[in-house]
Amino acid sequence: MWSVTLVLVFLSCGILAWRRRNRNKDEPPPLPGALPLIGHIHLLLGNSSQLWNTIKTMCYQTLNAGGVTSGYIGPRTLYLVTDPDNCLKIANICLQKDSFYKFLKPWLGEGLLTGDLQIWKVHRKLLNPAFNQTILDGFIDVHNRQARRLVKDLQVEVDKGPFDHFTYILLNVLETTCLTVMAVDFSDESLLNSEYVHAAEDMLEYIMERFQKPWLHSDVVFNWSSLKRMQDECLKILHNMSNTVLKKRKAEYLYNKQCKETEDTIKGPKLQTFMDLLLELAIEKGAFNDREIRDHVDTILIGGHDTSASVLMYTMLLVGSYHEVQENIYEELDNVFGNEDRDVTKQDLSQLVYLEAVLKESMRIYPIAPIIARKLHQDIKLRNCTLTKGRTCFLAAYGVHRHPMWGPDVEEFKPERWLDFETLPKCPAAFAGFGMGRRFCIGKTYAMMAMKTTLAHVFRRYRVSGSHLSMVTKMEIMLKPVSGHHVAIEIRKNKT
Ligand code: HEM
Ligand SMILES: *[C@@H]1O[C@H](CO)[C@@H](O)[C@H](O)[C@H]1NC(C)=O
Ligand SMILES: *[C@@H]1O[C@H](CO)[C@@H](O)[C@H](O)[C@H]1NC(C)=O
Ligand SMILES: *[C@@H]1O[C@H](CO)[C@@H](O)[C@H](O)[C@H]1NC(C)=O
Ligand SMILES: *[C@@H]1O[C@H](CO)[C@@H](O)[C@H](O)[C@H]1NC(C)=O
Ligand SMILES: *[C@@H]1O[C@H](CO)[C@@H](O)[C@H](O)[C@H]1NC(C)=O
């Protein structure tokens, strides 16, 4: 009964809005398939893998229409942009995340990813120093240790046929994130870790479901739904993780502070890891309240592990699918390391240019954040059209990565394209794997260092095989695999 009434209310709003829709003659062309009143809602139904197929189609339609289109969710008009220059322009003018991000707020609050613009401006500046290169260089031992641990854990799968490597990588990267930016050792908390990983997955699924059901967009209705109750169960587990991390670290911080006060204070600005910086700013300067501290920890936990783990998963699968690429990786590794099994150093990382190209190309083909969204706080004039203030604008990294400026081989997996500046697009926004404009990923350099170290260890030891074309993917905020992403591994025979 409730839902029937709501649908009716929703439809009447739709009628009103339909009449008022394109006042502006300069609107971008509409996506095909809109129905009266409901607009494109019917295309967004279906499960998350059907949704992903729809999004892909819409990205290609937008590319064909010149890079900007309009879509309609009932009474709302939204925009989809796949043109790199336009994306960058919008991303830099409109720093406020769209209201869809509020679905993430019960979990991530005012953390950097979801935070309101005014809070974000202050907090991003305060937290940036925690990702200074000098700090990141200090993590390289941990990355080596964790990479060796992953190689060892994978040993049981050697010659056993296809298996789900994602599960191994997820837990490994979560532990690494805790050890580095959080500076806590959670390796023994395997129960909490695996509970957290599952809860995070469920949470992303629920948020996507809410997006697909427009009547749940309103908090009033959502608060009565069973989805909300399921979400609350997940939140208990997710927040238990961040609370546990914080409790451990806070006690250590206060203890260390007590010890330090007796020593001489160190001169000059000192660089601190994320957690130390966060606690110092909160405890000494009162920069964050308790909820905000936890929001930042939650944001870095999910932003730090799920993303890198997914990229590693897709990269291993892609490399396993292309024999020559794997051979090229081996050649580079042999040149840098010979037959030695030593740790990867900072100098090695700058020499692993082909491996870096492979990572970037994997992120181009499978951007794990295929779509981000901004709120337009002003009208935006683009080359051929004008976007109307107050509306939602989707910036599609997936579409940007398939723009004709990549060349006729845009659909192919070709790491070599990154090694030749002549063939790379001149537009700096053509690669959007780490977001766009000033609100780009804070962990970009961290992630590249960590992933290169991990892959160097994995490919020094194993030969991977798989077939990415048989993979089925789904859209759950991030691009995730459903099936067919399994790989098989064998021990690599050394040359000579
Ligand atoms: C391969 C790994 C990674 C990828 C592909 C990635 C991708 C992205 C993307 C696309 C965004 C923009 C999201 C948006 O605009 O809505 C973003 C933002 C962010 N990422 Fe990452 N990320 C990665 C690793 C990391 C790591 C390791 C951390 C932290 C340790 C991190 C922390 C963040 C944070 C805090 C933001 C919000 C930035 C802001 O708005 O100021 N990410 N990331
Ligand atoms: C989504 O629906 C399609 C078609 O009904 C089905 O084949 C597929 O297995 C479903 N995928 C998921 C992830 O449920
Ligand atoms: C703008 O319009 C011109 C002419 O119709 C077209 O060739 C071009 O692709 C359009 N560009 C964009 C970015 O829409
Ligand atoms: C990192 O910190 C050092 C020392 O405070 C500073 O000189 C340097 O400019 C910082 N680098 C970046 C990229 O912020
Ligand atoms: C948090 O997780 C730990 C470890 O799984 C568990 O023992 C504890 O009961 C949990 N606390 C809450 C409030 O769920
Ligand atoms: C919905 O529930 C949350 C707590 O779970 C509460 O903070 C919020 O105010 C509620 N919103 C409405 C509109 O009832």
Side-chain angles (χ1 to χ4, degrees):
M1 187 54 217
W2 248 110
S3 41
V4 175
T5 323
L6 280 164
V7 168
L8 286 177
V9 170
F10 195 75
L11 283 181
S12 2
C13 295
I15 297 172
L16 288 174
W18 185 262
R19 297 231 177 94
R20 279 190 302 144
R21 187 162 286 154
N22 302 329
R23 290 166 285 143
N24 167 0
K25 281 200 219 72
D26 208 16
E27 287 282 326
L31 284 164
L35 295 176
L37 302 184
I38 61 169
H40 295 95
I41 287 182
H42 62 293
L43 297 177
L44 301 180
L45 300 178
N47 62 33
S48 49
S49 60
Q50 291 162 318
L51 178 66
W52 174 235
N53 282 331
T54 308
I55 293 174
K56 275 198 288 193
T57 309
M58 288 179 169
C59 283
Y60 283 110
Q61 287 166 340
T62 304
L63 282 169
N64 289 333
V68 190
T69 51
S70 313
Y72 312 113
I73 297 190
R76 289 179 71 174
T77 301
L78 307 89
Y79 302 113
L80 180 64
V81 186
T82 57
D83 177 81
D85 289 311
N86 288 337
C87 278
L88 185 62
K89 183 170 178 185
I90 297 162
N92 275 332
I93 295 178
C94 301
L95 292 167
Q96 174 71 45
K97 296 285 175 82
D98 183 70
S99 55
F100 285 127
Y101 283 73
K102 84 170 186 223
F103 301 165
L104 283 158
K105 280 204 175 179
W107 178 13
L108 304 176
E110 299 298 329
L112 290 178
L113 182 67
T114 43
D116 277 333
L117 184 53
Q118 297 314 321
I119 298 177
W120 173 82
K121 268 188 188 154
V122 179
H123 288 192
R124 173 92 189 216
K125 209 173 272 166
L126 288 172
L127 294 174
N128 263 338
F131 293 87
N132 184 299
Q133 187 67 51
T134 318
I135 295 275
L136 303 186
D137 290 346
F139 294 149
I140 203 152
D141 286 345
V142 180
H143 290 317
N144 273 295
R145 236 178 17 246
Q146 283 293 102
R148 285 185 194 280
R149 193 180 155 125
L150 179 65
V151 168
K152 191 162 153 258
D153 289 346
L154 289 175
Q155 184 74 38
V156 294
E157 302 286 354
V158 168
D159 297 332
K160 293 266 170 66
F163 70 101
D164 183 359
H165 58 311
F166 194 25
T167 322
Y168 289 89
I169 301 173
L170 261 176
L171 285 172
N172 186 272
V173 178
L174 177 61
E175 278 171 23
T176 314
T177 310
C178 288
L179 284 165
T180 53
V181 277
M182 301 298 165
V184 285
D185 191 344
F186 262 51
S187 319
D188 299 330
E189 306 264 7
S190 54
L191 181 65
L192 188 55
N193 286 351
S194 62
E195 266 186 1
Y196 174 84
V197 165
H198 286 126
E201 197 138 302
D202 290 344
M203 187 71 187
L204 292 174
E205 193 182 315
Y206 300 153
I207 293 169
M208 209 60 223
E209 190 175 332
R210 189 174 174 193
F211 169 76
Q212 284 181 279
K213 297 181 171 163
W215 58 93
L216 293 180
H217 288 184
S218 138
D219 275 340
V220 184
V221 184
F222 179 66
N223 274 9
W224 287 92
S225 68
S226 58
L227 200 60
K228 165 81 155 63
R229 283 192 292 281
M230 278 146 66
Q231 177 172 305
D232 285 346
E233 285 306 306
C234 274
L235 284 175
K236 270 191 210 148
I237 297 169
L238 296 169
H239 287 154
N240 188 7
M241 179 83 178
S242 44
N243 283 330
T244 312
V245 168
L246 266 170
K247 215 163 89 197
K248 270 196 183 183
R249 286 296 293 142
K250 228 173 185 170
E252 279 171 24
Y253 178 88
L254 294 173
Y255 176 78
N256 287 340
K257 199 182 126 198
Q258 222 172 18
C259 300
K260 234 186 265 163
E261 267 169 5
T262 54
E263 298 167 16
D264 289 338
T265 38
I266 311 144
K267 286 187 221 83
K270 52 184 190 321
L271 286 168
Q272 289 172 310
T273 54
F274 171 77
M275 198 58 160
D276 288 328
L277 182 66
L278 188 69
L279 289 174
E280 188 184 283
L281 288 169
I283 294 170
E284 313 295 331
K285 309 254 164 65
F288 314 113
N289 62 33
D290 281 353
R291 173 74 216 257
E292 287 167 348
I293 303 178
R294 197 192 66 195
D295 291 345
H296 284 304
V297 171
D298 275 314
T299 301
I300 297 290
L301 271 178
I302 188 72
H305 94 281
D306 208 343
T307 51
S308 307
S310 299
V311 174
L312 285 171
M313 183 275 296
Y314 289 122
T315 307
M316 279 175 70
L317 181 62
L318 279 162
V319 171
S321 312
Y322 296 93
H323 181 75
E324 303 94 87
V325 173
Q326 191 152 209
E327 290 304 321
N328 291 341
I329 293 178
Y330 289 154
E331 196 183 320
E332 182 174 79
L333 288 174
D334 290 344
N335 284 338
V336 174
F337 298 101
N339 276 338
E340 281 179 80
D341 183 39
R342 63 176 174 80
D343 270 3
V344 178
T345 65
K346 199 186 163 205
Q347 289 72 31
D348 295 330
L349 287 181
S350 58
Q351 285 187 279
L352 297 173
V353 282
Y354 187 78
L355 193 60
E356 182 163 327
V358 170
L359 273 168
K360 286 187 183 151
E361 184 69 350
S362 305
M363 292 170 71
R364 187 181 73 82
I365 296 285
Y366 293 112
I368 52 119
I371 297 231
I372 60 175
R374 293 296 168 84
K375 173 133 226 126
L376 303 175
H377 70 269
Q378 61 174 71
D379 283 354
I380 303 223
K381 175 114 194 62
L382 301 175
R383 238 168 307 152
N384 285 2
C385 56
T386 303
L387 310 185
T388 307
K389 172 180 167 173
R391 291 180 174 165
T392 295
C393 186
F394 289 112
L395 308 174
Y398 185 85
V400 166
H401 290 172
R402 276 149 187 82
H403 194 273
M405 67 168 63
W406 286 95
D409 54 3
V410 61
E411 296 290 343
E412 287 166 45
F413 178 72
K414 271 175 73 176
E416 291 74 22
R417 75 171 82 241
W418 291 92
L419 305 176
D420 183 1
F421 285 102
E422 289 303 307
T423 57
L424 268 186
K426 299 291 167 283
C427 171
F431 179 67
F434 287 104
M436 302 170 199
R438 289 205 284 141
R439 239 180 138 162
F440 75 101
C441 178
I442 203 173
K444 177 180 168 186
T445 315
Y446 171 97
M448 284 312 280
M449 290 177 74
M451 293 190 300
K452 276 164 84 175
T453 309
T454 306
L455 289 181
H457 280 276
V458 167
F459 287 113
R460 277 191 330 197
R461 177 84 175 145
Y462 298 120
R463 177 176 291 280
V464 176
S465 54
S467 162
H468 81 104
L469 292 176
S470 60
M471 174 171 52
V472 180
T473 42
K474 62 180 175 182
M475 176 69 176
E476 255 158 29
I477 319 275
M478 291 194 262
L479 183 58
K480 289 281 179 90
V482 180
S483 64
H485 59 292
H486 295 186
V487 299
I489 55 172
E490 55 188 278
I491 304 281
R492 210 187 125 194
K493 310 275 181 302
N494 273 344
K495 61 179 178 146
T496 68

